[in-house]
Amino acid sequence: MKEEKHSWDKVNQWAEELGLLRTIIQKTELVETTKWGGEIYTINHKNVLGIGGFKSYFGIWFMNGVFLKDEAKVLVNANEGVTRGLRQWRFQSAAEVNEKLLLQYIQEAIANEKAGLAIKPEKREVMHCSFLAQALKDDEQLRGALEQFTPYKQKEFWEYMATAKQEKTKITRLDKIKPMILSGKGLNDTYR
């Protein structure tokens, strides 16, 4: 049985164009894999780029595109203010794809990955919630149970409580998470 090919072609109109990008990428040392439901290309198991099609364009995105020189000024930040490293090169037709230039960008992205250029994720401080802190102070069993979780899962509980603004929401949330904590179930375990 042949495995179904996954691609980010949300409107199923870019099959030929994505095939063209795929053919160009296959001329490099990148390895194709499927992640997040689409085609990602890696080197040494590190994500370098991906391809996909959307409503008004198809394109290639470079995971650490912020480090590319972009002398042709073709790259865009798809989500300004949110996306720090990723850059996209968008096309409206196959005729816009300049293979030689695209290969230069891909080779530069590969070289950057091999050189270890990457944006490190920012460490965020754990949100504090005085309501949860008081509940833990008052209930030694609850405090002990929360301490059994990994720091990551503890952080999820703290943030969940800290984002509640109204007193009644805090009470409702505490009532929800208390049995979860006591039974050793993480806040988002159901979704993992």
Side-chain angles (χ1 to χ4, degrees):
M1 184 173 158
K2 188 180 177 200
E3 187 178 318
E4 184 182 329
K5 184 100 171 142
H6 293 281
S7 70
W8 281 302
D9 187 2
K10 301 301 178 200
V11 288
N12 297 316
Q13 69 184 27
W14 303 110
E16 268 184 56
E17 292 84 353
L18 292 174
L20 173 61
L21 293 180
R22 195 175 298 110
T23 300
I24 294 169
I25 295 166
Q26 288 170 347
K27 294 178 180 180
T28 71
E29 59 189 299
L30 292 174
V31 176
E32 182 181 328
T33 186
T34 300
K35 292 185 181 183
W36 310 294
E39 294 167 64
I40 297 292
Y41 293 84
T42 66
I43 190 146
N44 300 326
H45 305 287
K46 299 282 188 180
N47 302 334
V48 177
L49 58 90
I51 61 173
F54 299 91
K55 190 174 186 176
S56 61
Y57 66 91
F58 68 99
I60 183 168
W61 51 91
F62 298 92
M63 302 305 177
N64 283 305
V66 70
F67 296 110
L68 295 173
K69 292 181 189 106
D70 193 20
E71 292 169 355
K73 304 288 182 233
V74 294
L75 300 179
V76 296
N77 183 337
N79 203 349
E80 201 67 52
V82 177
T83 304
R84 295 173 50 219
L86 189 122
R87 295 295 181 268
Q88 293 181 337
W89 188 346
R90 298 175 177 178
F91 307 97
Q92 272 76 44
S93 73
E96 294 178 14
V97 178
N98 177 332
E99 181 175 337
K100 184 178 175 188
L101 186 60
L102 185 55
L103 280 170
Q104 286 176 358
Y105 275 69
I106 293 170
Q107 293 299 348
E108 184 183 351
I110 292 169
N112 288 347
E113 184 59 50
K114 287 180 176 179
L117 295 179
I119 291 180
K120 303 293 181 222
E122 293 176 349
K123 285 218 176 215
R124 293 187 328 188
E125 290 297 315
V126 175
M127 294 177 149
H128 184 73
C129 173
S130 56
F131 188 86
L132 179 57
Q134 186 61 49
L136 294 172
K137 185 177 176 187
D138 296 343
D139 188 335
E140 196 173 306
Q141 184 183 6
L142 183 63
R143 184 176 65 245
L146 183 63
E147 289 171 355
Q148 297 304 307
F149 286 95
T150 63
Y152 180 79
K153 289 187 178 187
Q154 288 180 35
K155 180 180 166 188
E156 289 181 330
F157 284 116
W158 280 100
E159 288 183 355
Y160 180 68
M161 290 299 299
T163 55
K165 292 178 179 44
Q166 296 183 6
E167 187 78 13
K168 65 180 182 180
T169 307
K170 292 176 185 181
I171 293 167
T172 303
R173 287 186 179 186
L174 183 61
D175 289 344
K176 175 186 173 184
I177 67 170
K178 197 171 183 177
M180 295 172 77
I181 293 171
L182 293 171
S183 67
K185 184 176 179 189
L187 182 65
N188 297 308
D189 285 358
T190 306
Y191 308 108
R192 290 191 173 99

